[in-house]
């Protein structure tokens, strides 16, 4: 007797079922993570408790969580746009890095000579433009030559990372930084202010929230948002409706890239104050933002919440890394596991799967 | 099926429906658009579960939870919208739906089996062709082959003939007859009453989700059937006023178009469409009609020739530009081109008009106006929908078509291009849409329609161009030409006069 699975689409699920699926996939994700901890000889409940007490359990933890949620919220809001248009941009990490590099360059070039608001404005614009450019190129390759954007955006991450590494040990290496792979610090006048006793650069936080709200209205209230959603749902119908595929793809990629670039600006002007190795500038924000966008159901208002949640996991991950002596990649494993379960949960929500016997 | 009830979000699609089929019987299932036919059949096929009621097979109470279980019970289904995988060959598609293919060399096994069935039922098809290369009729044969492979005792066909040419329909019915003679049963859904009368032994009629009739075919006629369906008499007649031809609207000159397969599918076609005129294009599908229409509406580039609207060229302009100049289009494949199934009804109601006044300003869509427009179409074209806030895909096939036609005709376009305008519509809706087309003509609009329904073309059109292998074999006046002559032109024999 052979067995096989039968899979049928099931579109008529309720809101309760959707929430249950979400909760269940998070629980399953944590169970698997728990097993991993067990394998390392660590009590999983203790570890999970450590994670969340590390991130949400103290005022220091919460402040750090808010700090790390800024690039996540910013980047994920941009990703909701491209993902709704079914342009699978997984190159946010590279776009963020390029935005960071552009912001640094502007600050170092004109930071001393021009009034600081103007400099900050230019930093923002350049970060957005370079982030956008880094997304537009794969978008163009996709729309014109049908080159798979998953591959190209992924590859562009490596190019951006190598470029930044090269800049900070080569041409941009700071004169004041001796042996370190750092650029010079940006002038104090263009550093972003923090909330007291924290690293929360509130200017970027407010910008991220405002832009998320604007993107929400863009998606659901404007002509362009409508065209993105039509293109994503049915490309043939989009063509029939006179929607220009090239233009729409380029524009949505640009928005997503610009948002990632802005996140890069925030990291430079609010946290690091100089460009340095890519791993330090971004602790995988561009990748984590993919999960944030997904968990937020591609709704730029919900991604504010899911961004905060995942920032908590990042912070908690750092905490257990230190206190339990776990390797640095732990957080990535953590995030990856949760993403896998979210996708599985979504699949089971939208399909009905049954095990069947096959008549021989 | 006993006392089947199924509701979607509180509205009943099926309400205490009873239906039975004996072996070797062809049962006709009739009902207006949205009456619940497809829903009922999806329940039998295991795609939906009924809220209450039971299904009995050979007297045994069974619970069908998914299509696989129904296949094991010997039930096969050909859906209203085909479910084949485009970029695969016929053979692969059949193998995909067939769980018992051997692990090694499935190709050889399936190929042999295709050949036996092809011979037995006269179903000829090249197993190595890709699905996208096939006409609707050929795709349907693949679906039938899939069902035969599973040795279904009961085959459900949901509007199999809506997309077929008359000849393909005749072939289909001879296959059905052969299946019946071998003891298979068939449930046939159709809006064409003559097909039901000619091929079924019994009919069940649904209305608004309830059974309103169940009789032997000998006890009913087309009139009583349509009365059962809609509750009033409907006689499809064409009241066409004689009107002088107006100004020239569309002018197609020496058009040449290359198909996806790289062949010249439109070969030197020229014709004009005028105000106060309905121009029809007849022909067996796959003879270039689709490519011709796509070129006129901007979806495809021409190789040479010219298309002009009110004297200015629209050749190879974008679909948006052409639409802005006053051309609207009811596309041939409604699910693929005409709608976005996952977006809401009101969002679909402005598809392609969304960018223009009054629905949008420079940037924003005016959702109030959009919703008002959607309500307007739904009311005017009696689209049966629970509300405008549900996804488009929850509409029945015919109601999707009504919404598309309504959307394209509602703002009185100077030129309406419609492929199969009444495809999948019930008699009432067909009557209404035809009236609307004729009204456009009277108001001074130009209408270009493609149809395989010759009677429809002859009834509606002022002139009919007959297409064969990419060329016009004739442009005729239907009021003075016999149907047989048009039929001959469709097979490439240029008997009639040329224009
Ligand atoms: N998935 C769904 N969600 C919500 N409503 C649905 C769904 N499927 C069908 N309906 C509703 O159920 C009713 C019956 O639909 P059904 O598709 O069975 O009609 P039908 O008789 O096949 O019509 P047609 O001749 O147009 O194909 C319709 O009003 C439709 O809107
Ligand atoms: Mg139907």
């Amino acid at each position: 007797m052979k067995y096989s699975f039968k899979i049928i689409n099931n579109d008529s699920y309720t809101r309760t079922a959707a929430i249950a699926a979400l909760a269940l996939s998070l629980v399953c994700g944590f169970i698997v993570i728990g097993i991993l901890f067990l394998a390392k000889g660590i009590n999983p409940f203790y570890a999970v408790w450590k994670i969340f007490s590390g991130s949400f359990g103290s005022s220091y933890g919460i402040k750090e969580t808010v700090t790390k949620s800024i690039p996540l919220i910013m980047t994920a809001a941009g990703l909701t746009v491209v993902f709704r248009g079914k342009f699978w941009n997984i190159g946010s990490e590279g776009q963020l890095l390029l935005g960071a590099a552009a912001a640094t360059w502007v600050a170092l070039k004109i930071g001393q000579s021009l009034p600081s608001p103007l400099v900050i404005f230019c930093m923002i614009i350049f970060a957005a433009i370079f982030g956008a450019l880094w997304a537009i190129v794969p978008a163009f390759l996709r729309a014109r030559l049908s080159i798979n954007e998953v591959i190209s955006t992924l590859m562009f991450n490596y190019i951006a990372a190598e470029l930044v590494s090269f800049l900070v040990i080569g041409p941009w290496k700071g004169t004041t930084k001796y042996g370190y792979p750092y650029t010079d610090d940006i002038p104090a006048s263009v550093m972003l202010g923090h909330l007291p006793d924290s690293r929360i650069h509130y200017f970027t936080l407010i910008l991220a929230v405002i832009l998320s709200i604007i993107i929400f209205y863009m998606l659901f209230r404007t002509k362009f948002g409508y065209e993105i959603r039509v293109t994503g749902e049915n490309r043939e119908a989009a063509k029939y409706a006179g929607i220009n595929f090239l233009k729409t793809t380029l524009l949505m990629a640009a928005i997503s890239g610009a948002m990632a670039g802005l996140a890069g600006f925030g990291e430079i002007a609010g946290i690091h104050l100089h460009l340095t190795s890519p791993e330090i500038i971004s602790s995988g924000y561009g990748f984590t933002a993919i999960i944030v966008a997904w968990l937020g159901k591609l709704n730029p208002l919900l991604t504010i919440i899911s961004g905060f949640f995942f920032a908590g996991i990042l912070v908690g991950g750092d905490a257990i890394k230190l206190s339990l002596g776990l390797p640095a990649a732990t957080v990535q494993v953590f995030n990856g596991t949760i993403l896998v379960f979210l996708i599985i949960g979504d699949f089971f929500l939208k399909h009905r799967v049954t095990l069947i016997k096959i008549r021989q | 099926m006993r006392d089947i009830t199924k509701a979607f979000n509180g509205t009943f699609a099926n309400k205490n429906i009873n239906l039975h089929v004996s072996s070797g019987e062809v049962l006709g299932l009739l009902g207006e658009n949205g009456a619940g036919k497809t829903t009922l059949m999806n329940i039998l096929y295991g795609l939906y579960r009924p809220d209450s009621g039971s299904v009995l097979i050979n007297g045994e109470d069974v619970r069908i939870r998914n299509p696989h279980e129904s296949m094991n019970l010997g039930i096969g289904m050909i859906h209203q919208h085909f479910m084949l995988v485009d970029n695969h060959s016929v053979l692969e598609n059949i193998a995909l739906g067939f769980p018992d293919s051997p692990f090694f060399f499935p190709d050889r096994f399936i190929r042999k089996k295709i050949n036996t069935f092809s011979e037995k039922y006269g179903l000829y098809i090249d197993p190595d062709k890709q699905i996208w290369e096939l006409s609707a009729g050929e795709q349907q044969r693949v679906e039938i082959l899939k069902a035969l492979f599973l040795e279904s005792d009961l085959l459900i066909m949901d509007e199999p003939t809506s997309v077929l040419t008359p000849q393909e329909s005749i072939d289909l019915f001879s296959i059905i007859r052969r299946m019946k003679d071998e003891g298979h049963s068939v449930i046939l859904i159709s809006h064409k009453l003559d097909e039901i009368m000619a091929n079924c032994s019994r009919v069940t009629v649904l209305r608004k989700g309830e059974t309103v009739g169940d009789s032997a075919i000998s006890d009913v006629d087309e009139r009583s059937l349509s009365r059962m369906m809609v509750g009033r008499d409907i006689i499809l007649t064409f009241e066409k006023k004689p009107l002088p031809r107006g100004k020239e609207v569309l002018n197609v000159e020496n058009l040449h178009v290359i198909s996806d397969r790289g062949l010249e599918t439109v070969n030197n076609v020229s014709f004009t469409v005028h105000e106060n005129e309905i121009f029809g294009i007849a022909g067996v599908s796959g003879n270039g009609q689709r490519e011709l229409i796509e070129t006129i509406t901007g979806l495809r580039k021409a190789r040479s020739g010219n298309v002009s609207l009110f004297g200015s060229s629209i050749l190879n302009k974008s679909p948006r530009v052409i639409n802005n100049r006053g051309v609207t289009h009811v596309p041939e494949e409604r699910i693929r081109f005409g709608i976005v199934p996952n977006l809401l009804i009101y969002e679909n109601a402005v598809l392609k008009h969304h960018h223009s006044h009054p629905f949008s300003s420079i940037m924003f869509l005016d959702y109030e106006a959009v919703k008002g427009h959607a309500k307007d179409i739904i009311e005017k074209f009696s689209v049966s929908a629970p509300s405008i806030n549900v996804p488009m895909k929850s509409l029945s096939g015919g109601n999707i078509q009504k919404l598309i036609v309504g959307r394209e005709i509602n703002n009185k376009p100077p030129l309406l291009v419609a492929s199969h305008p009444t495809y999948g519509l019930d008699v009432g809706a067909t009557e209404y849409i035809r009236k609307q087309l004729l009204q456009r003509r009277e108001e001074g609009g130009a209408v270009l329609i493609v149809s395989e329904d010759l009677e429809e073309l002859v009834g509606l059109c002022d002139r009919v161009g007959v297409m064969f292998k990419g060329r016009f074999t004739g442009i005729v006046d239907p009021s003075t030409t016999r149907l047989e002559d048009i039929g001959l032109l469709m097979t490439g024999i240029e008997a009639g006069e040329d224009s």
Side-chain angles (χ1 to χ4, degrees):
Chain A
M1 193 63 86
K2 278 197 301 182
Y3 288 89
S4 159
F5 288 106
K6 190 77 199 173
I7 297 161
I8 325 165
N9 285 331
N10 171 27
D11 295 317
S12 54
Y13 55 86
T14 59
R15 207 184 190 85
T16 340
I19 294 169
L22 182 71
L24 201 66
S25 24
L26 288 179
V27 168
C28 290
F30 278 111
I31 288 175
V32 169
I33 292 163
I35 293 171
L36 293 178
F37 281 127
L38 268 182
K40 288 283 269 175
I42 297 165
N43 179 346
F45 294 102
Y46 179 69
V48 170
W49 180 78
K50 265 282 179 198
I51 289 174
F52 286 103
S53 64
S55 49
F56 300 108
S58 64
S59 87
Y60 169 77
I62 289 179
K63 284 176 198 157
E64 271 304 284
T65 301
V66 173
T67 308
K68 296 213 169 188
S69 73
I70 297 170
L72 289 180
I73 293 171
M74 189 84 90
T75 309
L79 287 178
T80 61
V81 178
V82 275
F83 287 173
R84 279 196 182 261
K86 297 230 162 69
F87 178 80
W88 303 116
N89 174 19
I90 53 171
S92 297
E93 185 76 2
Q95 292 142 18
L96 185 153
L97 289 173
L98 228 62
T104 313
W105 184 78
V106 170
L108 293 177
K109 273 277 167 204
I110 60 171
Q112 303 287 11
S113 45
L114 293 173
S116 58
L118 182 65
V119 178
I120 292 178
F121 178 75
C122 290
M123 286 168 78
I124 290 177
I125 296 297
F126 270 73
I129 289 177
F130 276 83
L133 278 178
W134 215 234
I136 284 177
V137 177
F140 184 80
L141 295 175
R142 163 67 207 282
R144 266 293 131 90
L145 306 171
S146 300
I147 291 175
N148 186 324
E149 74 276 15
V150 174
I151 311 280
S152 59
T153 52
L154 185 66
M155 290 304 152
F156 268 51
N157 285 330
Y158 296 113
I159 301 176
E162 290 302 323
L163 179 68
V164 168
S165 300
F166 165 73
L167 289 174
V168 294
I169 53 171
W172 289 11
K173 189 166 162 18
T175 47
T176 56
K177 295 289 182 183
Y178 309 106
Y180 292 105
Y182 294 167
T183 62
D184 286 326
D185 278 349
I186 59 175
S189 59
V190 300
M191 292 176 189
L192 298 177
H194 293 161
L195 288 182
D197 298 323
S198 75
R199 299 202 295 161
I200 300 173
H201 39 114
Y202 53 87
F203 173 79
T204 329
L205 178 62
I206 295 169
L207 190 66
V209 171
I210 290 177
L211 288 176
S212 294
I213 295 170
I214 290 179
I215 287 180
F216 177 85
Y217 276 96
M218 198 265 311
L219 272 177
F220 298 105
R221 285 288 170 270
T222 67
K223 213 156 55 179
F224 178 54
Y226 176 84
E227 295 192 344
I228 288 174
R229 290 181 297 127
V230 170
T231 307
E233 291 289 349
N234 184 352
R235 194 176 152 185
E236 308 262 22
K239 187 177 168 192
Y240 160 83
I243 295 169
N244 186 329
F245 183 68
L246 178 69
K247 191 178 120 196
T248 312
T249 307
L250 292 186
L251 267 172
M252 64 189 175
I255 290 175
S256 161
M259 292 296 285
L262 286 180
F265 152 79
E267 294 310 290
I268 293 298
I271 305 282
H272 299 286
L273 313 179
H274 51 244
L275 194 63
T276 174
S277 352
E279 318 76 79
I280 298 177
I281 295 291
S282 163
S283 33
Y285 293 132
F287 296 113
T288 307
I290 297 173
I291 315 174
V292 171
W294 215 257
L295 183 66
K297 298 279 170 212
L298 302 186
N299 177 335
L301 297 182
L302 294 182
T303 52
I304 299 177
I305 301 166
S306 59
F308 185 66
F309 176 74
F310 264 94
I313 292 183
L314 289 183
V315 172
D318 282 341
I320 58 167
K321 217 154 62 186
L322 295 176
S323 60
L324 302 176
L326 289 169
T330 310
V331 187
Q332 265 92 306
V333 173
F334 211 111
N335 286 346
T337 311
I338 290 181
L339 177 62
V340 167
F341 276 94
L342 283 176
I343 292 173
I344 294 175
D346 210 49
F347 177 81
F348 278 99
L349 178 66
K350 291 182 181 152
H351 299 84
R352 214 156 59 206
V353 183
T354 34
L355 185 66
I356 45 166
K357 278 182 205 152
I358 292 178
R359 207 169 36 173
Q360 290 284 345
Chain B
M1 303 183 85
R2 276 198 199 148
D3 288 333
I4 298 286
T5 297
K6 171 85 188 169
F8 292 104
N9 311 318
T11 38
F12 286 100
N14 288 167
K15 209 169 174 182
N16 300 326
I17 292 186
N18 291 298
L19 178 136
H20 69 99
V21 198
S22 327
S23 66
E25 182 181 51
V26 181
L27 174 75
L29 184 57
L30 280 174
E32 285 180 288
N33 295 129
K37 306 179 293 293
T38 302
T39 307
L40 185 66
M41 292 300 107
N42 280 341
I43 290 173
L44 181 54
Y45 190 57
L47 280 171
Y48 294 147
R49 284 179 222 192
D51 298 340
S52 65
S54 51
V55 179
L56 287 83
I57 296 198
N58 299 328
E60 227 178 288
D61 199 338
V62 289
R63 209 153 284 275
I64 306 177
R65 281 170 307 184
N66 57 52
H68 201 88
E69 294 186 348
S70 64
M71 281 178 213
N72 284 344
L73 290 166
I75 301 172
M77 178 157 176
I78 295 173
H79 296 274
Q80 196 166 3
H81 308 108
F82 300 138
M83 296 191 164
L84 298 173
V85 191
D86 253 14
N87 282 329
H88 285 261
S89 69
V90 170
L91 193 127
E92 288 164 335
N93 263 285
I94 291 176
L96 274 176
F98 187 57
D100 292 357
S101 28
F103 190 75
F104 292 107
F105 307 114
D107 269 35
R108 209 183 294 164
F109 172 81
I110 302 255
R111 202 177 293 269
K112 222 172 90 202
K113 231 171 146 164
I114 292 181
N115 284 336
T116 30
F117 279 118
S118 298
E119 261 161 49
K120 192 159 144 203
Y121 291 100
L123 271 166
Y124 295 104
I125 191 105
D126 177 356
D128 297 313
K129 267 199 175 169
Q130 303 281 308
I131 295 299
W132 58 264
E133 294 182 272
L134 304 180
S135 74
E138 289 172 314
Q139 288 194 31
Q140 183 148 59
R141 278 185 218 169
V142 180
E143 294 276 16
I144 295 175
L145 269 174
K146 267 171 73 181
L148 288 175
F149 256 65
L150 298 164
E151 288 163 20
S152 317
D153 305 320
L154 170 64
L155 183 60
I156 304 164
M157 296 190 176
D158 195 349
E159 295 188 29
T161 57
S162 309
V163 289
L164 298 190
T165 62
Q167 185 55 44
E168 284 173 328
S169 301
I170 292 169
D171 294 345
L172 175 72
F173 289 121
S174 78
I175 293 166
I176 291 180
R177 222 160 294 136
R178 212 157 314 167
M179 292 181 67
K180 181 175 116 181
D181 294 342
E182 292 193 354
H184 297 281
S185 322
V186 175
I187 299 180
L188 178 70
I189 299 180
S190 176
H191 292 294
K192 297 178 185 161
L193 297 178
D194 49 335
E195 287 177 2
I196 299 282
M197 294 300 298
N199 297 288
C200 300
S201 37
R202 260 182 47 241
V203 282
T204 296
V205 183
L206 303 185
R207 187 156 124 215
K208 302 206 162 98
E210 293 180 79
T211 325
V212 289
D214 184 1
S215 351
I217 207 75
S218 48
D219 299 340
V220 292
D221 55 22
E222 289 190 25
R223 241 180 106 168
S224 59
L225 281 179
S226 70
R227 201 176 316 130
M228 256 191 256
M229 274 191 332
V230 286
R232 65 183 169 101
D233 273 324
I234 287 192
I235 310 139
L236 288 177
T237 53
F238 303 93
E239 287 166 21
K240 202 170 78 185
K241 283 187 204 145
L243 277 176
R245 241 198 242 177
K247 270 198 327 224
E248 176 187 291
V249 177
L250 179 76
N251 186 0
V252 176
E253 287 167 285
N254 305 105
L255 195 67
H256 290 262
V257 183
I258 307 290
S259 75
D260 296 335
R261 280 175 248 179
L263 305 172
E264 179 149 66
T265 32
V266 177
N267 182 0
N268 205 21
V269 166
S270 305
F271 65 96
T272 54
V273 187
H274 296 253
E275 285 176 350
N276 302 104
E277 181 183 47
I278 300 183
F279 187 95
I281 295 176
V284 178
S285 80
N287 275 296
Q289 300 93 322
R290 176 180 168 168
E291 286 82 0
L292 174 62
I293 295 302
E294 287 182 350
T295 310
I296 293 172
T297 51
L299 292 168
R300 185 181 286 275
K301 299 260 176 284
R303 202 180 66 170
S304 64
N306 194 19
V307 179
S308 47
L309 191 72
F310 297 113
S312 71
S313 175
I314 54 165
L315 187 76
N316 297 345
K317 292 264 190 299
S318 74
R320 174 156 303 173
V321 169
I322 293 175
N323 180 234
N324 288 345
R325 298 237 186 126
V327 181
T328 65
H329 178 204
V330 177
E332 176 178 307
E333 289 183 65
R334 58 190 177 200
I335 302 282
R336 235 175 96 195
F337 290 96
I339 59 159
V340 186
N342 285 327
L343 294 192
L344 307 180
I345 290 181
Y346 65 82
E347 292 176 308
N348 272 284
V350 290
L351 187 67
K352 127 183 175 180
H353 313 300
H354 66 276
H355 65 95
S356 50
H357 185 76
F359 307 121
S360 72
S361 54
I362 299 166
M363 244 169 76
F364 290 94
L365 267 183
D366 181 349
Y367 274 94
E368 287 315 306
V370 169
K371 286 180 182 171
H373 178 65
K375 283 194 191 119
D376 192 35
I377 293 181
I378 282 187
E379 223 162 87
K380 222 157 132 192
F381 290 83
S382 47
V383 178
S384 91
S387 86
I388 55 169
N389 297 313
V390 298
M392 195 63 191
K393 65 185 169 195
S394 55
L395 288 190
S396 80
N399 283 304
I400 290 176
Q401 179 73 3
K402 285 196 233 171
L403 186 111
I404 295 175
V405 176
R407 180 180 77 197
E408 300 304 314
I409 203 172
N410 200 32
N411 52 355
K412 305 192 184 303
L415 175 65
L416 170 69
V417 179
S419 298
H420 313 282
T422 58
Y423 142 49
L425 297 184
D426 62 42
V427 272
T430 301
E431 180 196 37
Y432 184 74
I433 296 293
R434 286 178 181 169
K435 272 193 186 145
Q436 293 292 309
L437 292 172
L438 288 170
Q439 195 190 332
R440 266 318 290 143
R441 169 179 175 269
E442 276 166 35
E443 292 163 351
V447 181
L448 172 62
I449 58 180
V450 177
S451 178
E452 271 155 19
D453 185 342
L454 268 188
E455 265 174 52
E456 175 167 281
L457 285 177
V458 167
L460 289 175
C461 298
D462 299 289
R463 288 185 302 152
V464 173
V466 186
M467 228 174 154
F468 177 72
K469 289 203 171 149
R471 290 184 313 115
F472 269 9
T473 44
I475 295 178
V476 299
D477 178 350
S479 59
T480 59
T481 316
R482 290 180 312 159
L483 272 182
E484 296 84 85
D485 287 336
I486 299 180
L488 281 178
L489 287 171
M490 282 168 61
T491 57
I493 302 166
E494 299 183 42
E497 82 271 60
D498 233 295
S499 73

